Amino acid sequence: MASLPALPRKYHAASIWLLYAVGLVPAAYGFYLGATGMLPGNPVKEFEHLLGLWALRFLVATLAITPLRDLFGINWIRYRRALGLLAFWYVLMHFLTYMVLDQYLNFAAILTDIAKRPFITIGMAAFVMLIPLALTSNNWSIRRLGPGWVKLHRLVYVIAAAGALHFAMAVKVVALEQMIYLALVALLIAWRPIRPRFNRWKRGNNGRPQFNRA
Ligand code: HEM
């Protein structure tokens, strides 16, 4: 399989910053549309949805990095931290939009929602689990936590599953879009136990997967 041309090392740092900048464009654009009255229907809900959807997309993208390398030899590991942190910033903005613009900081109503509406309970649980991951997404924490860091960051699978479930439960009728996210997350989770065997098999083939071998 032809591999993608590798980005010269000197551009790695710049490309990561570019990803952060581009990754925040949907939020900025959505905010602009909302503030100028160009979002259809209920602008607060539209903005809240946009942020939630991008949070989920970045979570899926974060989980896709390892299978992309295993299956297609595309090594974008250097972007994984940025994707995970973008997911965190989007969840945080989604949560703040819900608290401030949707619920007007009515803490009693917010707490009731979190306790009584299962999809919000699940979303909140995902957000709470994301916080330690975001706080430890730096080289210092990786060194400090050692093998514990890897264990802690496995929570991202639970978070993505909770995020996709939250999305499916947030709507009255589960449509194709929610099913796609649920299926994607399920596939990415399923890849974890398959991965070691696949990589052993790939090494046996000198690093080249041979899909059509008998
Ligand atoms: C990993 C965490 C989360 C993800 C990935 C996520 C994602 C989403 C998505 C994709 C939607 C549906 C958008 C649509 O209908 O198009 C949604 C809706 C919603 N989320 Fe989240 N969310 C998360 C956490 C939270 C948290 C922490 C809260 C608040 C405590 C929250 C509150 C809501 C509400 C209230 C809605 C429904 C808005 C409405 O239609 O009334 N979410 N979320």
Side-chain angles (χ1 to χ4, degrees), residues 136-170:
T136 55
S137 285
N138 52 68
N139 296 342
W140 182 80
S141 299
I142 295 173
R143 278 195 303 275
R144 270 304 293 250
L145 297 176
W149 187 91
V150 176
K151 273 195 201 144
L152 176 67
H153 280 251
R154 279 194 198 130
L155 266 184
V156 69
Y157 290 94
V158 181
I159 294 165
L165 195 63
H166 164 82
F167 181 23
M169 290 168 75

Side-chain angles (χ1 to χ4, degrees), residues 24 32-33 36 40 42 44 101 106 139:
L24 289 171
Y32 163 76
L33 290 181
T36 52
N42 179 337
V44 169
L101 302 178
N106 179 343
N139 296 342

Side-chain angles (χ1 to χ4, degrees), residues 44-46 48-57 59 87-88 90-92 94-96 98-99 102-103 110 113-114 117 119-128 130 159-160 162-164 166-171 177-178 181:
V44 169
K45 288 280 173 207
E46 287 297 323
E48 199 176 327
H49 289 186
L50 176 146
L51 296 170
L53 263 181
W54 279 96
L56 198 49
R57 286 174 187 154
L59 278 172
F88 170 75
Y90 271 90
V91 176
L92 181 65
H94 177 66
F95 175 62
L96 290 177
Y98 161 77
M99 286 227 310
D102 194 350
Q103 298 292 330
I110 293 167
D113 258 3
I114 294 173
R117 297 173 74 187
F119 89 94
I120 298 189
T121 316
I122 292 175
M124 194 65 208
F127 175 47
V128 169
L130 253 181
I159 294 165
H166 164 82
F167 181 23
M169 290 168 75
V171 291
E177 193 184 13
Q178 289 81 20
Y181 282 101

Side-chain angles (χ1 to χ4, degrees), residues 69-73 198-210:
R69 188 179 59 172
D70 296 339
L71 288 165
F72 307 110
F198 175 82
N199 283 340
R200 264 198 306 278
W201 169 78
K202 203 167 75 169
R203 274 196 296 274
N205 289 322
N206 296 327
R208 264 175 269 111
Q210 296 178 5

